[in-house]
Amino acid sequence: MIRTAQSVSLDDYRQMEQVCESRHEYHDGEVWDMAGASLNHNTIVVNLIARLKSYQTNPPLRLFSSDMRLWIPQYRRGLYPDIMVVLGDVLLNGDRDDEILNPSLIIEVLSPSTATFDRGDKFLFYRSIPQFQDYLLISQSDYRLEHYRRTSTSQWLFDDYLNRNCEILLPSLGITLNGEEIYADVQIST
């Protein structure tokens, strides 16, 4: 990720994002360029969106891809998770129609350049969202799925799945994801 050398106001950042062809994250005055995605990364995201879209829940699941920004007020961050799932009504940031505040599930597909940030500070930022219940990190280079599930306000349960033959229960959404479906058509070098 490439960072700006000077501080950028939030208003300037938002205006830039409306006209730019590429996406940038906002980090309390710093603007970071977002990297492109690989074939495996895109395949995993499409597999997940297709599977999540098939669930009929009440209230319904609302799915968002990496083109929708997540605003995290406590940390003044505008981030683009690979997938966000909102259970029921979408809560927007004021009158903005490009910033969501309330995902229940966030999914990130890990890459070598983002894995440390996704597991560390980004997870810290996400945990400040009251509605956030499940965090799923998926490796695109080997069969590994990491699931963090909120059990209380400040406690998270971690499950680590080291192969594609797994079932991931997401009780907050009332659904289960299958590792075989997540990794369908993904080419992993062994």
Side-chain angles (χ1 to χ4, degrees), residues 119-134:
R119 288 185 179 110
D121 284 346
K122 193 180 256 189
F123 186 33
L124 171 70
F125 303 149
Y126 290 164
R127 290 192 313 257
S128 71
I129 301 165
Q131 299 85 351
F132 179 49
Q133 298 296 313
D134 290 284

Side-chain angles (χ1 to χ4, degrees), residues 59-77:
L61 301 179
R62 297 288 308 273
L63 304 176
F64 300 93
S65 68
S66 60
D67 289 328
M68 181 59 82
R69 189 168 51 249
L70 170 62
W71 181 248
I72 304 174
Q74 180 176 336
Y75 292 99
R76 291 183 41 85
R77 298 295 196 267

Side-chain angles (χ1 to χ4, degrees), residues 92-103:
L92 295 173
N93 186 18
D95 62 353
R96 302 203 59 83
D97 68 354
D98 59 352
E99 292 180 352
I100 291 177
L101 296 171
N102 66 326

